[in-house]
Amino acid sequence: MEAEACPISRLGETLDRAGDCFQNQNMRIRSFLFVAGLALLVALSTGLIIKGAKVGDFEETELNASMICLSCVGIE
Amino acid sequence: MTARIRRLFQILSFLAIDSYYKGVLTGQAIYQGLTKRFVVPALNCYSCPLSRFACPMGSFQHFLAVRQIPFYILGFFGLVGASVGRATCGWVCPFGLFQELLYKIPSYKFRIPRIFTYLKYVVLVLAIILPIVLLEPWFCKFCPAGTIEAGIPLLSWDPVQSLGSSLLEILTTHFYVKYGILIFFVVLSLSTRRPFCRVACPVGAIFSIFNKLSVLRMYVDKSKCTKCDICYNVCPMEIRIYENASDLDCIRCGKCQSACPQGAIRFSTPLDMLRPEIGKDTVNIYGLRS
């Protein structure tokens, strides 16, 4: 019996194709999750900056950075 | 070409961040103005007489020391990290540039064992915990970037008129400890690449966490790579990019890209997915295979 006609070979090919399809699908899902995770991180970070702006973090940073830090200079 | 662009970018960044020359001429010790509310994506001491911006680590520790959640700084770290990962270490950091220039001086060269690079995460944990406990910016007390950018210039200049008293009169042994740490890293930089960035920098440690997620990343075409180690020999962070293109220590400097004779290494972004000739590979990159 030739390989093409063999039911077991045909089953093997079908399983191979199914495997490739699953792998591609899996890759697409992983890529999607990666991009979605990245977008979530950017959104969360932007949200934190906006929250910081609302509670006065920028002013606090400016006030602190406008004074000489004695620890930085090396004086306790 | 990438190397020249990067060096130019490093110099321009330094000139942009530390550009308050007027203060030196008018006798004002440090800059006090609107831009001091913005942190830069690199270690840069805000007590430097020339600095126009705030240090992210100094500001982060200040918020922790006053028992406030640093929303803005955390968001900043997240946004920069998600965008470029640790690339700011390679393209923006003035202290990184300083170490790279020191390494160019001919001297005995050696490599730091990889295990020591994990020390920076210990430093980062201490830089988070100790300010909360001790109520002061612990890392700033030992930061060599602070010594060279703020300590030495301010003590040499000693702007008494601006401060009302002499800094030299209140100098303690702590300064000599800081000075010793700076000397240690300067001497080390002559013999090994970017020792402070690899072993002790908490800002680098934070951005390195995002290296596996960031939009900008490196890509290695494994079908072209011959593992000749030319990339490893030129890498300022001493990593083998072909083993892990998203290595935590990669500063996206592009030296490996320029050096690779096979053209196997390149920068990559999600926009590559729109280019049909390399789109398939890029799906693999963003499918976290490399």
Side-chain angles (χ1 to χ4, degrees):
Chain A
M1 193 180 282
E2 287 183 19
E4 290 82 29
C6 170
I8 294 170
S9 293
R10 282 209 302 273
L11 178 65
E13 282 170 19
T14 308
L15 285 174
D16 270 355
R17 279 200 297 275
D20 285 350
C21 180
F22 176 76
Q23 202 172 10
N24 289 341
Q25 195 68 20
N26 189 28
M27 193 55 72
R28 277 194 208 104
I29 292 167
R30 288 174 70 183
S31 301
F32 171 76
L33 286 177
F34 175 75
V35 174
L38 195 60
L40 188 69
L41 180 63
V42 170
L44 184 71
S45 301
T46 310
L48 281 171
I49 293 174
I50 293 167
K51 168 83 176 167
K54 281 182 181 167
V55 299
D57 278 7
F58 284 95
E59 289 78 9
E60 181 72 29
T61 305
E62 183 187 338
L63 192 68
N64 175 53
S66 296
M67 292 183 288
I68 290 182
C69 164
L70 292 182
S71 297
C72 301
V73 177
I75 301 167
E76 282 186 293
Chain B
M1 186 63 182
T2 311
R4 283 184 188 171
I5 295 171
R6 187 175 76 96
R7 186 66 80 223
L8 184 67
F9 202 91
Q10 282 178 304
I11 293 167
L12 290 177
S13 298
F14 169 65
L15 293 175
I17 295 167
D18 298 312
S19 59
Y20 189 60
Y21 306 107
K22 191 182 158 192
V24 180
L25 299 172
T26 58
Q28 189 182 348
I30 62 167
Y31 174 70
Q32 293 169 316
L34 198 67
T35 53
K36 270 281 173 88
R37 60 179 56 187
F38 302 111
V39 292
V40 288
L43 205 62
N44 182 74
C45 189
Y46 43 48
S47 292
C48 171
L50 299 179
S51 183
R52 284 182 181 272
F53 296 91
C55 171
M57 204 61 218
S59 303
F60 185 61
Q61 290 181 102
H62 166 72
F63 277 100
L64 295 176
V66 296
R67 303 280 173 89
Q68 282 184 28
I69 300 170
F71 293 110
Y72 155 47
I73 311 292
L74 287 173
F76 176 81
F77 281 139
L79 205 58
V80 174
S83 309
V84 295
R86 223 187 145 173
T88 54
C89 300
W91 291 71
V92 177
C93 185
F95 198 61
L97 171 65
F98 177 61
Q99 290 171 87
E100 282 184 9
L101 295 177
L102 283 175
Y103 186 74
K104 285 184 180 292
I105 298 170
S107 61
Y108 169 72
K109 307 291 182 193
F110 68 92
R111 293 181 193 278
I112 294 176
R114 178 86 179 176
I115 189 82
F116 287 107
T117 64
Y118 296 104
L119 272 176
K120 62 180 171 288
Y121 299 103
V122 178
V123 175
L124 174 61
V125 171
L126 290 173
I128 293 170
I129 294 171
L130 291 180
I132 300 171
V133 178
L134 303 174
L135 307 179
E136 47 185 5
W138 169 81
F139 178 73
C140 295
K141 287 183 179 293
F142 303 100
C143 177
T147 313
I148 197 163
E149 290 172 7
I152 294 173
L154 279 175
L155 290 168
S156 311
W157 178 25
D158 201 20
V160 182
Q161 283 183 332
S162 171
L163 300 174
S165 63
S166 170
L167 286 172
L168 287 169
E169 286 174 9
I170 51 172
L171 201 64
T172 61
T173 50
H174 175 225
F175 176 76
Y176 300 103
V177 174
K178 272 200 81 156
Y179 197 78
I181 293 169
L182 173 67
I183 296 287
F184 174 73
F185 279 109
V186 165
V187 171
L188 217 53
S189 298
L190 296 169
S191 298
T192 190
R193 293 181 172 115
R194 284 182 169 247
F196 179 75
C197 310
R198 293 167 59 206
V199 173
C201 182
V203 177
I206 292 171
F207 286 138
S208 74
I209 297 166
F210 295 95
N211 257 9
K212 288 191 185 298
L213 290 169
S214 65
V215 173
L216 180 74
R217 55 180 53 217
M218 303 307 293
Y219 171 64
V220 180
D221 188 337
K222 289 184 177 169
S223 65
K224 289 182 183 171
C225 178
T226 57
K227 298 184 181 176
C228 61
D229 268 347
I230 290 175
C231 53
Y232 174 58
N233 291 329
V234 298
C235 179
M237 302 302 275
E238 294 179 356
I239 56 172
R240 287 190 169 89
I241 193 86
Y242 58 81
E243 286 180 354
N244 182 3
S246 303
D247 194 289
L248 292 178
D249 275 338
C250 178
I251 56 171
R252 274 69 156 141
C253 66
K255 274 193 168 184
C256 51
Q257 184 203 26
S258 305
C260 181
Q262 309 297 327
I265 306 168
R266 60 177 164 78
F267 287 97
S268 178
T269 68
L271 290 175
D272 284 348
M273 287 188 202
L274 303 174
R275 293 163 64 188
E277 74 277 11
I278 55 172
K280 196 182 166 196
D281 284 344
T282 314
V283 169
N284 287 344
I285 304 168
Y286 287 92
L288 307 176
R289 264 194 180 173
S290 53

